[in-house]
Amino acid sequence: MIFSAWALCLVMIVGVASEPPALSKLTRWSAAEPSVGRVDGIGAQGVGIKVGEAIIPVVVPWYDVRGLSPATAEYKAYEQIADDAWRAHARLMRGDYFGAEALYTKLEGQYLWRVGLQSADVSIGLVRCRLDRQHRVGAVEPLVSWLGASGGGFGSRLVSGFDADFGLFIELPPVFGPRERGQSVGSIPDGDRITERQRAIFGYYQLALDTSAHRTPEALELLEKLSAMTRGREGRDPGIRLFEEMVIAQVHQDAQKRLAARVALKRRIRTDPDTWIELWARLAIGVSLLGEADTESNERGVIELIHVIVRFDHISHSLVVLASQIANEYLVRTDRSPWGAELMRWARRAGLGGQSEILLFQSFSKEHSAHE
């Protein structure tokens, strides 16, 4: 009898231990059919689920989670986040940037500067929304966050406006205009989860924006620190090298270093004509020349910016407007407000080129000769 009882207990224990884990049904907004499998972790980035014989779970981000059955207590704790994340993503996809930003801002504190698909969606969502309302400075922090959340940004070839080869977002060069001074790009947290590349890019943005530090010993010290962060990777990271050249041209204390950076950017114009790289290079050269002490350099700086205004609307209208704002500030300062206003007006028009381009250059050439 005693042996039979122990045998029965052993059978019951083995039976319980060998019983396969219960399956769950995960419905997604992006798929007509649900995913049926074993839930393997529910957390801030979404629901991990193993389907079939999969060993590694697929993490479905909250913006794509429609429901989970049975709904566990862990899942229920994230239901509000799932709803906000889905609504934000859906509004972004249909172009409702105002509505999307309100929801993404609600999620910002929990998801910025973390790694995962949900963090990547919140970060790039904030970038899109802020750029839509021309808040370029406010887009810097979520952009640099996204570079980490998306695995460094490289390989994200499906993200519109992102150059995966350079690891840079075309709409956000390290050049800022007069209307953006005094603003802050935010802050970058401490911790190992932030890469040196993220820290360097964020630092270059900060330095480009802080005009009070330009061409001072403070700028030189900061440039040396930023260069040390990525030393040795310049040759295999073209994005970092481009950032470095653009910021040195604008802020370095040594005039010869600024000149060398402008020469390097001119080479880029020759090797990558009619691209976003030429647009960025001309913006940086223009700002650099406008910061020099002599009038001849200043006037050449305006011409660089006119190149942007008349030739690159098809790449970025917002950067064309930025170029016109920078040029206008100089022209107002040199008692040519009507010409500055004319540049601003031309920048707001789309599809400039051809005869319009020739007329604009001719007009400025006459003004330039008269001013000299």
Side-chain angles (χ1 to χ4, degrees), residues 101-248:
E101 185 174 8
L103 289 165
Y104 278 128
T105 301
K106 185 178 177 182
L107 298 167
E108 181 177 6
Q110 184 169 350
Y111 285 99
L112 237 57
W113 302 115
R114 289 171 174 78
V115 177
L117 292 176
Q118 184 56 56
S119 285
D121 186 72
V122 171
S123 296
I124 200 66
L126 286 168
V127 172
R128 298 283 190 209
C129 293
R130 289 173 184 173
L131 286 178
D132 180 70
R133 60 183 176 89
Q134 302 302 309
H135 186 18
R136 296 175 63 252
V137 175
V140 168
E141 186 176 0
L143 171 66
V144 182
S145 167
W146 177 77
L147 291 175
S150 61
F154 293 100
S156 302
R157 298 183 182 276
L158 297 179
V159 176
S160 175
F162 180 74
D163 189 300
D165 294 326
F166 279 75
L168 299 175
F169 203 73
I170 294 170
E171 291 287 335
L172 271 179
V175 175
F176 297 96
R179 298 180 183 181
E180 295 164 324
R181 292 181 196 135
Q183 298 182 36
S184 170
V185 294
S187 60
I188 191 166
D190 295 326
D192 295 338
R193 68 173 180 266
I194 311 300
T195 67
E196 290 297 278
R197 185 177 196 271
Q198 284 175 281
R199 293 191 185 283
I201 287 177
F202 193 81
Y204 282 125
Y205 276 126
Q206 284 183 310
L207 186 51
L209 182 61
D210 185 9
T211 53
S212 66
H214 289 189
R215 309 188 182 196
T216 66
E218 179 187 355
L220 179 58
E221 181 182 350
L222 289 170
L223 283 169
E224 289 175 349
K225 287 181 180 179
L226 292 170
S227 179
M229 287 182 186
T230 56
R231 186 163 292 136
R233 67 177 293 165
E234 297 94 332
R236 55 191 174 87
D237 192 331
I240 287 291
R241 185 61 182 165
L242 177 56
F243 253 60
E244 185 177 50
E245 291 169 359
M246 292 178 70
V247 177
I248 286 175

Side-chain angles (χ1 to χ4, degrees), residues 215 255 258-259 262 266 282 284-305 330 333-334 336 364 368 371-372:
R215 309 188 182 196
R258 296 195 300 273
L259 175 60
R262 291 197 296 267
K266 281 289 188 182
R282 289 196 184 276
I285 293 170
V287 172
S288 176
L289 289 169
L290 286 174
E292 299 299 336
D294 61 292
T295 301
E296 176 61 28
S297 293
N298 299 160
E299 298 291 304
R300 288 192 289 115
V302 175
I303 290 173
E304 294 291 340
L305 297 174
Y330 168 74
R333 191 170 67 246
T334 54
R336 288 175 286 174
F364 185 75
H368 175 52
H371 185 67
E372 288 185 308

Side-chain angles (χ1 to χ4, degrees), residues 281-344:
R282 289 196 184 276
L283 271 177
I285 293 170
V287 172
S288 176
L289 289 169
L290 286 174
E292 299 299 336
D294 61 292
T295 301
E296 176 61 28
S297 293
N298 299 160
E299 298 291 304
R300 288 192 289 115
V302 175
I303 290 173
E304 294 291 340
L305 297 174
I306 291 176
H307 270 282
V308 174
I309 295 167
V310 301
R311 294 178 47 222
F312 290 101
D313 190 85
H314 66 289
I315 292 178
S316 173
H317 182 69
S318 68
L319 294 183
V320 165
V321 172
L322 173 65
S324 74
Q325 292 169 350
I326 296 169
N328 175 65
E329 180 185 41
Y330 168 74
L331 292 167
V332 169
R333 191 170 67 246
T334 54
D335 299 321
R336 288 175 286 174
S337 297
W339 180 242
E342 181 70 5
L343 277 184
M344 296 276 285

